[in-house]
Amino acid sequence: MKKLFGRILICLILLPVFFSITGCSILDGGSLLKEVQISVTPIPSPAPAPKGIGESCKGDSWEIMLADVKTVKTVGAAPYDEKASSGNILLLLYFDVTNLKEESSYFNNIYFKAFVDGSSVIQKILSPKSIEGREVAIGTVKAGETARYYIAYEVSENWNVFEICYDIGGMHPDKLADFKFDNKVK
């Protein structure tokens, strides 16, 4: 009898250990259930297609419109004119940038990233502060107002596709604005 009592006692002690190791539990009615954790990962929505010339992208803080694009060999007046290198052109991008906030905000051209035929290209700093009534794309924009800016790039005369996005990065992983156009601009 002592042996039977000892075996029953061991079984009663080991039974909860067995269920805790296997992740099972006994509920009302004596059924065994296995605990399962399911994690759900949301599927990201596809990024919107890039906009074209004359179109705009709107976020919480800014509405950015690529108003026009022009290609030139020279900009400015002598002796301060800027010329493209041999085999290249200057690509002038004209933006209308509207501040959608209720207070003045600083717009900065360092957040523009540009690609020519898939390769990164760096902005060309031009000496003319203003071109066709547009300022270099940097400065404070008052609440509700629109600033007229330009950005310049020096690219090959034989470029095919140009893409530019305004991407502030950091805590904001999405591009605020994305524009794409081909070599049919004037």
Side-chain angles (χ1 to χ4, degrees):
M1 189 68 146
K2 280 185 171 182
K3 284 185 178 185
L4 181 63
F5 180 71
R7 288 183 182 168
I8 292 174
L9 184 60
I10 290 174
C11 286
L12 288 175
I13 292 171
L14 292 178
L15 195 59
V17 172
F18 170 76
F19 284 120
S20 66
I21 290 172
T22 62
C24 296
S25 60
I26 298 177
L27 299 177
D28 306 287
S31 65
L32 292 176
L33 295 178
K34 179 137 179 138
E35 294 179 24
V36 178
Q37 284 187 331
I38 299 173
S39 64
V40 178
T41 304
I43 298 172
S45 58
K51 303 289 184 177
I53 299 168
E55 296 182 302
S56 64
C57 298
K58 188 174 182 179
D60 293 335
S61 303
W62 301 105
E63 181 173 4
I64 302 172
M65 176 181 169
L66 178 58
D68 200 5
V69 176
K70 293 188 178 178
T71 60
V72 296
K73 286 291 227 171
T74 305
V75 68
Y80 304 107
D81 58 337
E82 297 275 347
K83 295 178 183 168
S85 305
S86 178
N88 288 346
I89 56 168
L90 295 174
L91 192 60
L92 303 175
L93 286 73
Y94 298 153
F95 290 97
D96 292 340
V97 178
T98 304
N99 179 0
L100 302 176
K101 289 183 169 182
E102 293 182 9
E103 67 270 350
S104 295
S105 290
Y106 192 74
F107 188 83
N108 199 328
N109 63 3
I110 65 169
Y111 297 119
F112 277 107
K113 295 178 180 134
F115 304 89
V116 176
D117 300 328
S119 296
S120 181
V121 63
I122 298 173
Q123 288 181 41
K124 173 96 172 160
I125 305 302
L126 301 177
S127 56
K129 182 174 166 56
S130 178
I131 297 176
E132 296 185 22
R134 295 179 180 273
E135 303 294 317
V136 175
I138 189 167
T140 300
V141 183
K142 292 181 181 175
E145 292 191 6
T146 300
R148 296 168 41 90
Y149 289 136
Y150 83 87
I151 296 178
Y153 292 89
E154 185 171 347
V155 299
S156 166
E157 291 177 337
N158 301 318
W159 67 279
N160 293 307
V161 177
F162 190 93
E163 184 169 5
I164 185 167
C165 64
Y166 189 76
D167 183 2
I168 57 176
M171 299 293 290
H172 309 279
D174 298 325
K175 297 175 192 171
L176 176 60
D178 192 6
F179 301 96
K180 191 174 190 177
F181 53 91
D182 60 24
N183 191 355
K184 294 184 174 80
V185 297
K186 299 174 186 168

